[in-house]
Amino acid sequence: MAWTSASKLFFVGRSLLNGLSNHGLGLWRTSHEITCSSLLSQQQRTFIQMRTNLKVVDNSGAKRIMCIQALKGKKGARLGDTIVASVKESQPGGKVKKGDVVYAVVVRAAMPRGRCDGSEVKFDDNAAVLVNKQGEPIGTRVFGPVPHELRKKKHVKILSLAEHIA
């Protein structure tokens, strides 16, 4: 690891002096490849977009859903946004079955969201609650923490069903 950081410093120092030899370029390629591979190994936090898998945190019968379309925004959905999703895994005897197309509200997202007081809220996983077309939850319980930003998005019923409001 010390060698890679030394090669980075070597390249920076040489580029500032506008002098590059073939040897310096070779060291830069090596350190650049190492840097790129380490960046790719880190998980990138992005919007909830098409083909994103989400955990379902209510008792509607679904375990896992896959986002088909975000109903708001071109980039994707964030906390409190409604998405159209397909049920990928479900519990036997639940209200929804595997393959059903459902609406869901994103209640936890791994992408950080800034609050008006300057703090950020970020969760470890992506989770959603299934709702009907009118925006009412299908399940009767919501598990885990739910951010209070859902109040601004008019999802007060989900907040009232939640165990913990973050």
Side-chain angles (χ1 to χ4, degrees):
M1 192 64 181
W3 182 80
T4 58
S5 61
S7 64
K8 288 181 199 174
L9 291 175
F10 174 74
F11 175 71
V12 170
R14 296 294 285 177
S15 65
L16 290 175
L17 298 175
N18 291 330
L20 255 180
S21 64
N22 291 336
H23 181 66
L25 187 60
L27 284 177
W28 179 76
R29 283 185 188 149
T30 307
S31 66
H32 182 67
E33 290 170 2
I34 292 169
T35 305
C36 288
S37 66
S38 66
L39 287 176
L40 291 176
S41 66
Q42 294 175 355
Q43 187 177 9
Q44 191 72 276
R45 305 293 185 186
T46 59
F47 288 93
I48 306 296
Q49 55 192 355
M50 194 184 325
R51 297 182 59 90
T52 300
N53 285 315
L54 295 97
K55 183 178 172 183
V56 179
V57 291
D58 63 2
N59 62 348
S60 60
K63 291 182 181 178
R64 187 173 56 90
I65 59 175
M66 184 181 73
C67 177
I68 296 174
Q69 182 182 10
L71 294 180
K72 181 190 167 211
K74 293 182 180 179
K75 289 185 178 180
R78 295 183 80 175
L79 285 176
D81 290 344
T82 305
I83 61 171
V84 180
S86 171
V87 178
K88 290 299 178 184
E89 289 181 30
S90 65
Q91 297 172 347
K95 295 178 185 174
V96 295
K97 304 290 182 227
K98 180 180 176 181
D100 289 351
V101 176
V102 293
Y103 288 93
V105 173
V106 178
V107 294
R108 291 200 295 262
M111 183 176 184
R113 170 152 180 146
R115 289 185 168 169
C116 57
D117 62 352
S119 63
E120 280 187 339
V121 61
K122 179 173 94 168
F123 295 97
D124 292 335
D125 60 347
N126 296 320
V129 172
L130 300 187
V131 295
N132 58 14
K133 287 190 177 185
Q134 289 77 32
E136 301 163 353
I138 293 175
T140 57
R141 296 176 68 196
V142 176
F143 307 108
V146 172
H148 67 83
E149 280 88 2
L150 294 180
R151 189 174 308 279
K152 292 178 187 174
K153 302 271 187 161
K154 311 289 190 239
H155 298 296
V156 182
K157 182 71 174 175
I158 295 173
L159 283 172
S160 66
L161 296 174
E163 291 178 347
H164 177 66
I165 298 173

